[in-house]
Amino acid sequence: MGPKDEKLYIVMVGLPSQGKSTVAFRLQDVFRRNAIPTRIFNNGVLRRKYSPHIDTWSSEFYNPANEEAVELRKQFALTNIRNARRYLNSQGQVAILDATNVGRERRQIIQEQLNDHPILFIQCVNNDKEIVELSIRYKVKSSEFDVLSEKDAVHEFKKRIEYYRMIYDDLGTEKNYLRMDSLHNKIIEEQLVDQMPLYSRIRDCLVTDVVKGLFLLRHTESFYNVEDRIGGDAGLTPKGQEQASALGRFFRKKKISYIFTSEKKRTIQTAQMIKSRQDDCTIVPLEEFNEIFSGICEGMSYDEIQKTMPDVYSDRKADKYNYVYPEGEGYITMKERIKIGIKKAFFLNRKTDNIMIIGHRAVNRMILSHFLYRREEDVPYIYIPQDKFYHIVATQDRKVFELKKYQ
Ligand code: F6P
């Protein structure tokens, strides 16, 4: 049996907001592009469709002691299980059950009912509090929570997670499973008893960063740029505002759900102009994308540094990548935080194809190097203009890297 005729159930496992649906979508995408008929069966979708009369926003609906609700949720799960089985017994090749499935009892039922083909359980774990918090805030935007204020909705959602936690059993007794860190796309543990020709493709997909459309922008002109000063937290000049507004016009027809920026005014102000032309767009400032911190040189111009601290100037010039500013950072020390920033942005962006990051000169060089594999010594010299942006696509079958003008 080869990958073309293997039938497989994939069962997602994990608390809400751990990235299960993102992983499910990614797998579906890869399979479909390889002509492997795949469908996702999502319990939440069924619940929202068939129980509009029930307050499914309420955490009490997920309380394991609420017998009526437990039974109703079980019925939705059984419906999806039946549909998945029917799908594989007709034209389908891979059926993905996307639900929390955190209790052993539920997984037992799945294994009993889906005994005609192998099952692979995929557990998603993400312990980053900030990301989970942002992800919850995004989730409560769904119409299910329309009756509540954002604050109350977040409260209900967190309580829902706690109820799921009460029945949480780790994977371990299942035949085939894989536990992954869904923020870092890393496999934590895996066990395979059945033969699964598709497994290597699945594994490869899970650990690969797929970029369908990354728009990497630098903030537009700031008051410090005009004076050639580094670091600081200056705002945009009138020309910078004009450039930002041109960016807004340029991107108005593209759907940008999130704009990831640094915590600095100049990136947030640039993002605000783009957001103003979008229907539903959230700006997420991440400290990981703050510009290189130049320590004792913050706020100085390159000229001033050369005159007053000639050693700093020449040492940096001699080995720019490895040089660390006194009491500050260097390209080399930024590497890890930039990597985390990229992971966070991709985790949160999930379902939409376009992702936008508005960063700074050094930050954008590091982000580009993440996708470009430049030699380290060349990274601090990558061209990062303010009147153009980078558009990057990196999937299994397409690689695009272009520098585009927006005006
Ligand atoms: O001048 C703008 C700026 O973003 C500074 O804040 C930062 O220190 C610098 O660029 C980074 O570029 P380089 O590493 O070439 O000095």
Side-chain angles (χ1 to χ4, degrees), residues 12 18-19 23 26 122-126 171 178-189 205-207:
M12 306 306 300
Q18 300 282 298
V23 170
R26 255 167 49 201
I122 300 182
Q123 180 176 3
C124 294
V125 183
N126 165 26
L171 289 172
L178 180 156
R179 188 176 292 134
M180 71 177 288
D181 174 336
S182 44
L183 178 60
H184 297 98
N185 292 344
K186 247 177 29 201
I187 310 285
I188 307 167
E189 192 192 343
C205 164
L206 297 181
V207 298

Side-chain angles (χ1 to χ4, degrees), residues 2-61:
K4 281 282 165 213
D5 37 38
E6 177 194 12
K7 300 224 179 205
L8 178 67
Y9 295 109
I10 294 179
V11 178
M12 306 306 300
V13 175
L15 294 172
S17 287
Q18 300 282 298
K20 298 182 300 298
S21 297
T22 315
V23 170
F25 275 115
R26 255 167 49 201
L27 287 169
Q28 174 174 260
D29 207 43
V30 166
F31 288 142
R32 285 188 175 171
R33 272 191 284 116
N34 287 281
I36 297 174
T38 302
R39 192 176 294 168
I40 295 175
F41 299 86
N42 181 301
N43 290 7
V45 169
L46 222 55
R47 183 185 73 232
R48 285 186 283 274
K49 192 165 162 197
Y50 293 108
S51 49
H53 51 291
I54 297 170
D55 295 335
T56 56
W57 51 262
S58 163
S59 54
E60 286 316 304
F61 187 69

